[in-house]
Amino acid sequence: MAKERKKLKKKEGNAAKYTTRNKALNRLQIKLPEFRRLCILKGIHPREPKKKFEGSHKTYYHVKDINFLAHEPLLETGRALKVYKKKIKKAQAKKNWSLVTRLEANKPSYSLDHLVKERYPSFIDALRDLDDPLTMLHLFATFPAEASYKIPAETVNNCRRLSLEWQAYVARTHCLRKTFISVKGIYYQADVAGQKITWLTPHVLSQVVPNDIDIRVMLTFVEFYETLVGFVNFKLYHSLGLKYPPILDSKLEAEAAELYAVMRDLGKEAHEASEKEKDSNDFNSLSDTDTNHAQEPVNTESRLAESRARLASLQDRLSKMAKPEGNEKLLGVTDDDENMEEDENEDDDTRQCKALFKDLKFFLGREVPRESLLLLIRAFGGVASWAGDNAPFEESDEDITHQIVDRPTQGHIFLSREYVQPQWVYDCVNNRLLLPTIDYLLGRVPPPHLSPFVDNEKEGYVPEYAETLKRLQTAKEGKVLPLPGEEGSKDTEQFLESVVANRTESMEELRKTQKQAILEKTYQEELTKEIAGIPFSGSIQTMDRDEVDGEHVVEKEAYSHPETMDEEPPSAIAKAMMPRKARKLYAAMQIGKQKKQAEIDLLKERKRKSERKQNKKVAPEIEFQHTFESRCKASG
Amino acid sequence: MRSSEKKQVEESKKAASNGAVVSDINGVPSVPDSAREDISNATSESEDEDWHNSSSDNDGDSSSISDNTDESSDEDDEDTKAINEAMLDYMGALEERRQREALGSEEEEPRSARTEVESDSSEDEVVPSRNTIGNVPLHWYKDEQHIGYDLAGKKIKKKEKQDQIDSFLAHTDGSKSWRKIYDEYNDEEVELTKEEVDMIRRIRAGRIPHAEVNAYEPYVDWFDWDGKGHPLSNAPEPKRRFIPSKWEAKKVVKLVRAIRNGWIKLDKPKEKPKFYLLWGDDLKATEKTANGLTYIPPPKPKLPGHEESYNPPVEYIPTQEEINSYALMYEEDRPKFIPQGFQSLRQVPAYSEFIKERFERCLDLYLCPRSRKKRIDIDPESLIPKLPKPKDLQPFPNICYLEYHGHTGPVVSIAVDPSGMWLASGSMDQTVRLWEVQTARCCRVWSLDGPVRHIAWNPRKDLGILAISLQSKVLLLDLELGTSDPDEVSKLLALNPSVMDNDGDGALVTWMKHENLKALEVKHSQEVLSITWHHKGDYFTSVAPDANTRAVLVHQLSKQQTQNPFRKLQGRVVTAMFHPSRPFLFVATKMHVRVYNLVKQQLSKKLMTGLHEITSMAIHSKGDNLIVGSKEGKICWFDMDLSTQPYKTIKNHHEDIQAVAFHTAYPLFASCADDSTVHVFHGMVYNDLLQNPLIVPLKILHGHSKTGGRGILDCCFHSNQPWLFSAGADSVIKLFCD
């Protein structure tokens, strides 16, 4: 019997490598919910064996994965918890309250720290997989902590805290790159340590948890994500030389200006940290990313800290003399921020991001999404305030350059500032330039909001507004854009646009002439070759070389066409020579291409229709005028 | 009670003022002996009890005293009696005090200090009174000068009696006089203190003499009855309840040991910081995982496009009709997200699917099998093989130059004269026509008695003989175009008499003279589908697929002989051909091509085409390369030096290939098919054995129209020009020139 069994056991192949889920459950001696929980926490997922030896309807796990689970300490913890729950239940049933309280005091606890390290051995790995955690935490931060949903209030608060800490980091290091208001929520993309991290936050409205989802699954995910993001935040804050966790300003938090609350703390702590550095030279908290640069920043840091301390004391005295201190303190903090980061070796992009809203002061109306806008404005170097207590400055502040409003009309209007819709901020951020505010003014329908994640050229369809934006961008690169103060007037804008258009045209012409020159040159070369009598194998070589160049191939074909008077594209004939595999692949690719093309055609069609409709709307007016005129003429 | 008390006191005062009291006091002759005894006993017995108690003890004896006091007061005898009783009770106490004084110190102490002494002297054994006569009737001393004897045995003299007036005056003058009592036994006056009076009053009221003693204190139940209920058993407490438990002791030892060894930790463990620096300073991604399997990161969700914007460009928002049309689609084809546009940000509602989408993402993360799939991210054009440009490979037939009209049925077969001047064509309209190639003029027409299947021109230029297959007959027609002597040709085509002799039942074929044409007729048993000449022009083969073992026959024109080279054939033969220079015969069956060595009379090679059904075959002029066309539209190129597998298979036609052809001089080959196209290829064969043939598709020639489901039925190259003839089912022959 034993011999037979031994024979049956596979030693290689799919049957030895993979196991079904039920077998795994038997092996681990746990129930499905516990298995699910473990899988979620450990990041174990089913795999696809080449041959599904027990039928295609089953789920297969790798044997190594299951063995890995079997040695997980959490498995034991789970069992202990189960026993513990039983004990409590028993004690409760027997009304042994003293035992219940004693047991409750000694609840077996566990942590997921080791799982984080295990799943993400290096920090970059963790950053790479941060998209889902961040989205999840931002979602849970908005959840109602209601008992009926079985979402613990503690989790909700923790999620809120972690997401704010993350946002504070992003705002402070100016690593936010793209944002996008979609119907689903607001997307953000940040560049942290070279990793692009995209997350989605829901619109700040109450969430209704649907009935057909299993919240336990989500809570298990959130449990792990909380730990992961906590450690990531720690590492990020540590790299900035900040204390973690930051202490929130309770007053501001109560005012629902949490991000500001965290930021304030960061500002303060940064100050303290730098002070500490000054004291001890060997304290090397900053920039552990690259040890080469570590020494230099520290030195500059200490020098800066000194000067800053002097500045701060001076400012203190000044503020006591002149102004109410609350305002001034905040401004001082922001100044600190900027000084801090000036010396950090940062890439061009960061510098550009940091300077986008520099010297601009925003005031947020109470109807706009405050958290999102605060993050954006802070991340791009601006200063913002809002209507409410403990706000950094009042609405009546003279220095405010932009007030962000989202209402049909505004009662009192300050002439010194611009009243823009929130979309303006998002569009500015995506295009890295201060757009003319004329289209975004109060009460107008703003221009379409375009996704920054789309490569229009690759998609094959460029929306109209994208072209306008691109023109503006090229204009900015050419340094023709006037100072932000002047952008409001329509005349200058038009003038600008015309200038830009001229520029682009001239550029294109230049490019064309260059191309032609290249073409002529290659043609000459080929002619000489032909005269010399190089066989066509040689010509193959030249062709290969052309392919490497890539760009010129198309052009060459263009001029070869008239010579051969060939109506057939050469590729159509060459297709006959393709091996079967390639031929099928090619056909499949063509299907995809056609689908894409069909989509583009649909868009174009819709665009044309909408334009026609608009024209129609305008047309009757003109007609009426004409008839009116003619009638006048007839009568006159 | 209180009021009566007061009354008594007042009365006593009154009485005193009347003088009756005095007589009363004085008149009380003596305390009865028994009572006196009691008092002394009591005092002697109560050693360490204070005098309050002793007085209370005397309460019981009050009845015995009452008899004596009766005589003095008549009206209110009860009241006065009570007072007197009390006073007498008190006498005993006083006496005791006196004795004590006598013991302690001879001289009398002031009254104020007396109490202290009393308490101190409580330990004394027997306190004798001043008088030591004992319990004897006092009237014994009535007539004596003394009242008794003191401790020393000396007589105690009687005091001189005050006269009544003096005593009355003293009584009325002194405010305290009412408190004074005459002690007959010791012959002295005693003044009562306030407390003593109070005590007397309490006694008279029938209450406890001491005010501080509360007889009715609230009851305190010291036993805890809470939750005890009634005891189940009345059994006495067992012994074990009173001795320490052995097991408890063991348990304690255990616990102590556990604590000492650190198994039990009494103080709570220190709270570690929740987050700490988990990762070191390296910023490199790792490939290794803990379980030894490669980590497959979850695929990132697709980033949103313009259509997801809250305010997308107009062209991204579908019209109402389009949205309605989605309802008609299959559910899986339906777009999952329908773009919407909002005028301003404040109008954007919460996205109802948000949580659902996140949940589904969660499910994907832990339920979906993950595997690495290599996605080809290449330009589709790069899949197309890079070939030399056709213009470098010129000349090749490129455009339609001439059309040959005249046939009324599909042209089945065409053949070009070896000199290249003439073109012969056979058609289903039962005619064979001769065309002048350059002018497209039809020179001659031969009407035959059946549809023509195949025609083949004798490769010898000087003969001008055309072989035509007409159902089961093969005609060898003299076209009178030969350069040699016409007689020679006619002689060749004249029926050989020896053949006539051989004629019999067992013969393979019958050679005979055609009735009205200048032609020789070879009659087969079955329909002949193809004829091919040997390059020297003497031999030719005919293929009649239905004729089983006689399907392939080799005929010799000069001797007018026929032989069957195969005893047995594998499969249905499609066509057979001679090697252009060596004694080989190629026989194409449905799926294979067999090469027979005619000298050795054996199979030399079997070419595996891999095709379903071969329709045609052509041999390169050098004989080492072969192309085969098939019904699935594929051409196989065999390089016989390379292998028996096709060197290249080209799928170029959609429908059945009808014919393939090699050019004899130029490196060209072509295939024609029912899809009405002719594909022209460059097929270069190198003399160098190491270099593989180069095949380049050059041109697809269109022009014929499809008739009756058939397109182009035959094609052939001009014998010395790079021209191509094609014969279509639309009864037209076309000439394509370069």
Side-chain angles (χ1 to χ4, degrees), chain B residues 2 25 32 63 87 194 201 214 246 282 348 350-351 374 399 402 443 449 454 528 547-548 622 648 704:
Chain B
R2 274 240 166 255
I25 297 169
S63 57
M87 282 193 169
K194 217 173 182 179
R201 202 173 287 152
N214 184 9
K246 179 186 164 190
D282 60 320
V348 182
Y351 183 57
K374 272 189 186 160
I399 43 171
L402 279 176
C443 298
D449 49 350
H454 198 243
V528 177
N548 294 331
K622 279 182 183 137
K648 187 143 268 177
H704 286 281

Side-chain angles (χ1 to χ4, degrees), chain A residues 401-449:
Chain A
T401 53
H402 293 83
Q403 182 155 353
I404 296 164
V405 287
D406 190 8
R407 51 178 96 182
T409 51
Q410 173 84 11
H412 180 70
I413 284 180
F414 291 87
L415 289 174
S416 62
R417 62 182 79 152
E418 311 223 21
Y419 286 82
V420 288
Q421 298 196 28
Q423 196 194 316
W424 180 77
V425 179
Y426 292 85
D427 282 351
C428 285
V429 162
N430 287 338
N431 295 295
R432 300 286 148 69
L433 92 149
L434 292 173
L435 296 171
T437 50
I438 190 107
D439 291 333
Y440 298 91
L441 285 184
L442 180 76
R444 296 196 186 189
V445 176
H449 182 54

Side-chain angles (χ1 to χ4, degrees), chain B residues 583-585 595-604:
Chain B
F584 285 109
L585 182 69
V595 186
Y596 295 96
N597 190 330
L598 291 173
V599 177
K600 290 182 184 168
Q601 301 215 331
Q602 65 183 30
L603 180 71
S604 118

Side-chain angles (χ1 to χ4, degrees), chain A residues 60 145 181 196 200 311 329 334 387 510 555 570 576 597 613:
Chain A
Y60 293 85
I181 317 172
K196 284 213 164 73
L200 170 66
L311 261 175
K329 210 160 69 186
T334 53
L510 202 114
E555 308 300 322
Q597 190 56 44
K613 212 183 261 176

Side-chain angles (χ1 to χ4, degrees), chain A residues 36 46 65 113 120 122 124-125 129 132 182-183 235 406 423 445 447 449 451 456 461 547 573 577 606, chain B residues 276 279-280 283-284 286 291 295 304 306 308-311 315 343 346 358 361 366 369-370 386 697:
Chain A
R36 181 178 67 193
D65 275 336
D113 306 3
Y120 305 107
S122 81
I124 286 293
D125 297 333
D129 275 4
D132 284 312
S182 100
V183 173
K235 169 88 182 170
D406 190 8
Q423 196 194 316
V445 176
H449 182 54
S451 167
N456 285 321
Y461 180 78
E547 273 165 37
I573 307 161
M577 293 303 287
R606 276 186 197 151
Chain B
Y276 46 89
W279 293 286
L283 277 173
K284 274 180 206 156
T286 48
N291 58 359
Y295 175 59
H306 298 315
E308 256 193 51
S309 169
Y310 89 98
N311 178 20
E315 57 266 34
Q343 298 272 308
R346 68 172 182 276
R358 286 330 297 169
R361 171 77 180 165
Y366 90 94
R370 282 186 213 165
K386 292 288 170 287

